[in-house]
Coordinates of all heavy atoms in Angstrom, one line a residue:
R1 N 0.8 -1.2 0.0 CA 0.0 0.0 0.0 C 0.9 1.2 0.0 O 1.9 1.3 0.7 CB -0.9 0.0 1.2 CG -1.8 1.2 1.2 CD -2.9 1.2 2.3 NE -3.7 2.3 2.3 CZ -4.7 2.6 3.1 NH1 -5.0 1.7 4.1 NH2 -5.5 3.6 3.0
I2 N 0.5 2.2 -0.8 CA 1.2 3.5 -0.8 C 0.5 4.4 0.2 O -0.7 4.7 0.1 CB 1.1 4.2 -2.2 CG1 1.7 3.2 -3.3 CG2 1.9 5.5 -2.2 CD1 3.1 2.8 -3.0
T3 N 1.2 4.8 1.2 CA 0.6 5.6 2.3 C 0.7 7.1 2.1 O -0.1 7.8 2.7 CB 1.3 5.3 3.7 OG1 2.7 5.6 3.6 CG2 1.2 3.8 4.0
N4 N 1.6 7.6 1.3 CA 1.6 9.0 0.9 C 1.7 9.0 -0.6 O 2.4 8.2 -1.2 CB 2.8 9.7 1.5 CG 2.7 9.9 3.0 OD1 1.6 10.1 3.5 ND2 3.8 9.7 3.7
G5 N 1.1 10.0 -1.2 CA 1.1 10.1 -2.7 C 2.2 11.0 -3.2 O 3.0 11.6 -2.4
G6 N 2.3 11.2 -4.5 CA 3.2 12.1 -5.1 C 4.7 11.7 -5.0 O 5.0 10.5 -4.9
T7 N 5.6 12.6 -5.1 CA 7.0 12.3 -5.1 C 7.6 11.9 -3.8 O 8.7 11.3 -3.7 CB 7.8 13.5 -5.6 OG1 7.5 14.6 -4.7 CG2 7.4 13.9 -7.0
E8 N 6.8 12.1 -2.7 CA 7.2 11.6 -1.4 C 6.5 10.4 -0.9 O 6.3 10.1 0.3 CB 7.0 12.7 -0.3 CG 7.8 14.0 -0.6 CD 7.6 15.1 0.4 OE1 6.7 14.9 1.3 OE2 8.3 16.1 0.3
A9 N 6.1 9.6 -1.9 CA 5.3 8.3 -1.6 C 6.1 7.4 -0.7 O 7.3 7.2 -0.9 CB 4.9 7.6 -2.9
V10 N 5.4 6.8 0.3 CA 5.9 5.8 1.2 C 5.2 4.5 1.0 O 3.9 4.5 0.9 CB 5.8 6.3 2.6 CG1 6.3 5.2 3.6 CG2 6.6 7.5 2.9
T11 N 5.9 3.4 0.9 CA 5.3 2.1 0.6 C 5.3 1.3 1.9 O 6.3 1.2 2.6 CB 6.1 1.4 -0.4 OG1 6.2 2.1 -1.6 CG2 5.5 0.0 -0.8
R12 N 4.1 0.8 2.2 CA 4.0 -0.2 3.3 C 3.8 -1.6 2.7 O 2.9 -1.8 1.9 CB 2.8 0.2 4.2 CG 2.5 -0.8 5.3 CD 1.1 -0.7 5.9 NE 0.9 0.6 6.4 CZ -0.3 1.3 6.4 NH1 -1.3 0.7 5.9 NH2 -0.4 2.5 7.0
V13 N 4.5 -2.5 3.2 CA 4.4 -3.9 2.8 C 4.1 -4.8 4.0 O 4.8 -4.7 5.1 CB 5.7 -4.4 2.2 CG1 5.7 -5.9 1.9 CG2 6.0 -3.7 0.8
I14 N 3.1 -5.6 3.9 CA 2.7 -6.5 5.0 C 2.8 -7.9 4.4 O 2.3 -8.2 3.3 CB 1.3 -6.3 5.5 CG1 1.3 -4.9 6.2 CG2 0.9 -7.4 6.4 CD1 -0.1 -4.6 6.8
I15 N 3.6 -8.8 5.1 CA 3.8 -10.1 4.6 C 3.2 -11.1 5.7 O 3.5 -10.9 6.9 CB 5.3 -10.4 4.4 CG1 5.8 -9.6 3.2 CG2 5.6 -11.9 4.3 CD1 7.3 -9.8 3.0
D16 N 2.4 -12.0 5.2 CA 1.9 -13.1 6.1 C 2.7 -14.4 5.9 O 3.0 -14.8 4.7 CB 0.4 -13.4 5.8 CG -0.5 -12.3 6.2 OD1 0.0 -11.4 6.9 OD2 -1.7 -12.3 5.8
S17 N 3.2 -15.0 7.0 CA 4.0 -16.2 6.9 C 3.3 -17.3 7.6 O 2.4 -17.1 8.5 CB 5.4 -15.9 7.5 OG 6.0 -14.8 6.9
E18 N 3.7 -18.5 7.3 CA 3.1 -19.7 8.0 C 4.2 -20.7 8.2 O 5.1 -20.8 7.4 CB 2.0 -20.3 7.1 CG 1.2 -21.4 7.8 CD 0.1 -21.9 6.9 OE1 0.4 -22.5 5.8 OE2 -1.1 -21.8 7.3
D19 N 4.1 -21.6 9.2 CA 5.0 -22.6 9.4 C 4.3 -24.0 9.4 O 3.1 -24.1 9.2 CB 5.8 -22.4 10.7 CG 5.0 -22.5 12.0 OD1 3.8 -22.9 11.9 OD2 5.5 -22.1 13.0
G20 N 5.1 -25.0 9.6 CA 4.6 -26.4 9.5 C 3.6 -26.7 10.6 O 2.8 -27.7 10.4
Q21 N 3.5 -25.9 11.6 CA 2.5 -26.2 12.7 C 1.2 -25.5 12.4 O 0.3 -25.6 13.2 CB 3.1 -25.7 14.0 CG 4.4 -26.4 14.5 CD 4.9 -25.7 15.7 OE1 4.2 -25.6 16.7 NE2 6.2 -25.3 15.7
G22 N 1.1 -24.8 11.3 CA -0.1 -24.1 11.0 C -0.2 -22.7 11.6 O -1.2 -22.0 11.4
R23 N 0.9 -22.2 12.2 CA 0.9 -20.9 12.8 C 1.0 -19.8 11.7 O 1.8 -20.0 10.8 CB 2.0 -20.7 13.8 CG 1.9 -21.5 15.1 CD 3.0 -21.2 16.0 NE 4.3 -21.5 15.5 CZ 5.5 -21.4 16.1 NH1 5.5 -21.0 17.4 NH2 6.6 -21.7 15.5
R24 N 0.3 -18.7 11.8 CA 0.4 -17.6 10.8 C 0.8 -16.4 11.6 O 0.3 -16.2 12.7 CB -0.9 -17.4 10.1 CG -1.2 -18.4 9.0 CD -2.5 -18.1 8.3 NE -2.8 -19.1 7.3 CZ -2.7 -19.0 6.0 NH1 -2.2 -17.8 5.6 NH2 -3.0 -19.9 5.2
W25 N 1.7 -15.6 11.0 CA 2.0 -14.3 11.6 C 2.3 -13.3 10.5 O 2.6 -13.6 9.4 CB 3.2 -14.4 12.5 CG 4.5 -14.9 11.9 CD1 5.6 -14.1 11.5 CD2 4.9 -16.2 11.6 NE1 6.6 -14.8 11.0 CE2 6.2 -16.1 11.0 CE3 4.3 -17.5 11.7 CZ2 6.9 -17.3 10.6 CZ3 5.0 -18.6 11.3 CH2 6.3 -18.5 10.7
S26 N 2.1 -12.0 10.9 CA 2.2 -10.9 9.9 C 3.3 -9.9 10.4 O 3.4 -9.6 11.6 CB 0.8 -10.2 9.8 OG -0.2 -11.0 9.4
T27 N 4.0 -9.5 9.4 CA 5.1 -8.5 9.7 C 5.0 -7.3 8.7 O 4.4 -7.5 7.6 CB 6.5 -9.2 9.5 OG1 6.5 -9.9 8.3 CG2 6.7 -10.1 10.7
V28 N 5.5 -6.2 9.0 CA 5.4 -5.0 8.2 C 6.7 -4.3 8.0 O 7.6 -4.3 8.9 CB 4.4 -4.0 8.9 CG1 4.9 -3.5 10.3 CG2 4.1 -2.8 8.0
G29 N 6.9 -3.7 6.8 CA 8.0 -2.9 6.5 C 7.6 -1.7 5.8 O 6.6 -1.7 5.1
V30 N 8.3 -0.6 6.0 CA 7.9 0.7 5.4 C 9.2 1.4 4.9 O 10.2 1.5 5.6 CB 7.2 1.7 6.5 CG1 7.0 3.1 5.9 CG2 5.9 1.1 6.9
S31 N 9.0 1.9 3.7 CA 10.2 2.6 3.0 C 9.7 3.3 1.8 O 8.7 2.8 1.2 CB 11.3 1.6 2.7 OG 12.3 2.2 1.9
P32 N 10.4 4.3 1.3 CA 10.0 4.8 -0.1 C 10.3 3.8 -1.1 O 9.8 3.9 -2.2 CB 10.9 6.1 -0.2 CG 11.3 6.5 1.2 CD 11.3 5.2 2.0
N33 N 11.2 2.8 -0.8 CA 11.6 1.8 -1.8 C 10.9 0.5 -1.5 O 11.0 0.0 -0.4 CB 13.1 1.6 -1.7 CG 13.7 0.6 -2.7 OD1 13.1 -0.5 -2.8 ND2 14.7 1.0 -3.4
I34 N 10.1 0.0 -2.4 CA 9.3 -1.2 -2.1 C 10.1 -2.4 -1.8 O 9.7 -3.3 -1.0 CB 8.3 -1.5 -3.3 CG1 7.4 -2.6 -3.0 CG2 9.1 -1.8 -4.6 CD1 6.3 -2.9 -4.0
V35 N 11.3 -2.5 -2.4 CA 12.2 -3.7 -2.1 C 12.7 -3.6 -0.6 O 12.7 -4.6 0.1 CB 13.3 -3.7 -3.1 CG1 14.3 -4.9 -2.7 CG2 12.8 -3.9 -4.5
D36 N 13.1 -2.4 -0.2 CA 13.5 -2.2 1.2 C 12.4 -2.5 2.2 O 12.6 -3.2 3.2 CB 14.0 -0.7 1.4 CG 15.4 -0.5 0.9 OD1 16.2 -1.5 0.8 OD2 15.7 0.7 0.6
A37 N 11.2 -2.0 1.9 CA 10.1 -2.3 2.7 C 9.8 -3.8 2.8 O 9.5 -4.3 3.9 CB 8.8 -1.6 2.2
S38 N 9.9 -4.5 1.7 CA 9.7 -5.9 1.6 C 10.7 -6.7 2.5 O 10.4 -7.6 3.2 CB 9.7 -6.4 0.2 OG 8.7 -5.8 -0.6
F39 N 12.0 -6.2 2.3 CA 13.1 -6.9 3.0 C 12.9 -6.7 4.5 O 13.2 -7.6 5.3 CB 14.4 -6.4 2.5 CG 15.6 -7.3 2.9 CD1 15.7 -8.6 2.4 CD2 16.5 -6.9 3.9 CE1 16.7 -9.4 2.8 CE2 17.5 -7.7 4.3 CZ 17.7 -9.0 3.7
E40 N 12.5 -5.5 5.0 CA 12.3 -5.3 6.4 C 11.2 -6.3 6.9 O 11.4 -6.9 8.0 CB 11.9 -3.9 6.6 CG 11.6 -3.5 8.1 CD 11.1 -2.1 8.3 OE1 10.8 -1.4 7.3 OE2 11.0 -1.7 9.5
A41 N 10.1 -6.4 6.2 CA 9.1 -7.4 6.6 C 9.6 -8.8 6.6 O 9.2 -9.6 7.5 CB 7.8 -7.2 5.7
L42 N 10.4 -9.2 5.6 CA 10.9 -10.5 5.6 C 11.8 -10.8 6.8 O 11.8 -11.8 7.4 CB 11.7 -10.7 4.3 CG 11.0 -10.8 3.0 CD1 11.9 -10.8 1.8 CD2 10.1 -12.1 3.0
L43 N 12.7 -9.8 7.1 CA 13.6 -10.0 8.3 C 12.8 -10.2 9.6 O 13.1 -11.0 10.4 CB 14.5 -8.8 8.4 CG 15.7 -8.7 7.5 CD1 16.4 -7.4 7.7 CD2 16.6 -9.9 7.8
D44 N 11.8 -9.3 9.8 CA 10.9 -9.5 10.9 C 10.3 -10.9 11.0 O 10.2 -11.5 12.1 CB 9.8 -8.4 11.0 CG 10.3 -7.1 11.6 OD1 11.5 -7.0 11.9 OD2 9.5 -6.2 11.8
A45 N 9.9 -11.4 9.9 CA 9.2 -12.7 9.8 C 10.2 -13.8 10.3 O 9.8 -14.7 11.1 CB 8.7 -13.0 8.4
V46 N 11.4 -13.7 9.9 CA 12.4 -14.7 10.2 C 12.8 -14.6 11.7 O 12.8 -15.6 12.5 CB 13.7 -14.6 9.4 CG1 14.8 -15.5 9.9 CG2 13.3 -15.0 7.9
V47 N 13.0 -13.4 12.2 CA 13.4 -13.1 13.6 C 12.3 -13.6 14.5 O 12.5 -14.2 15.6 CB 13.8 -11.7 13.8 CG1 14.0 -11.4 15.3 CG2 15.1 -11.3 13.0
W48 N 11.0 -13.2 14.2 CA 9.9 -13.6 15.1 C 9.9 -15.2 15.2 O 9.7 -15.7 16.3 CB 8.6 -13.1 14.5 CG 7.4 -13.4 15.4 CD1 7.0 -12.6 16.4 CD2 6.6 -14.6 15.4 NE1 5.9 -13.2 17.0 CE2 5.6 -14.4 16.4 CE3 6.6 -15.7 14.6 CZ2 4.6 -15.3 16.6 CZ3 5.6 -16.7 14.8 CH2 4.6 -16.5 15.9

């Protein structure tokens, strides 16, 4: 989701993960760069 418009747009990425036990969890990353936001959410998912 783009949380601010125009040239100062900020991207929010939410990733849902699941493991073999059926547990689901959600993590979020925010950055003007969609790849950075995605990587932040990925890192949180692994660390959690």
Side-chain angles (χ1 to χ4, degrees):
R1 182 172 181 180
I2 305 301
T3 61
N4 291 323
T7 57
E8 297 181 356
V10 174
T11 304
R12 176 198 300 150
V13 170
I14 293 179
I15 290 177
D16 290 349
S17 305
E18 186 178 65
D19 65 12
Q21 300 176 51
R23 292 183 302 182
R24 285 179 182 259
W25 63 99
S26 299
T27 51
V28 62
V30 170
S31 171
N33 184 311
I34 187 173
V35 177
D36 280 334
S38 302
F39 194 68
E40 181 184 6
L42 287 173
L43 280 177
D44 274 7
V46 171
V47 172
W48 185 89

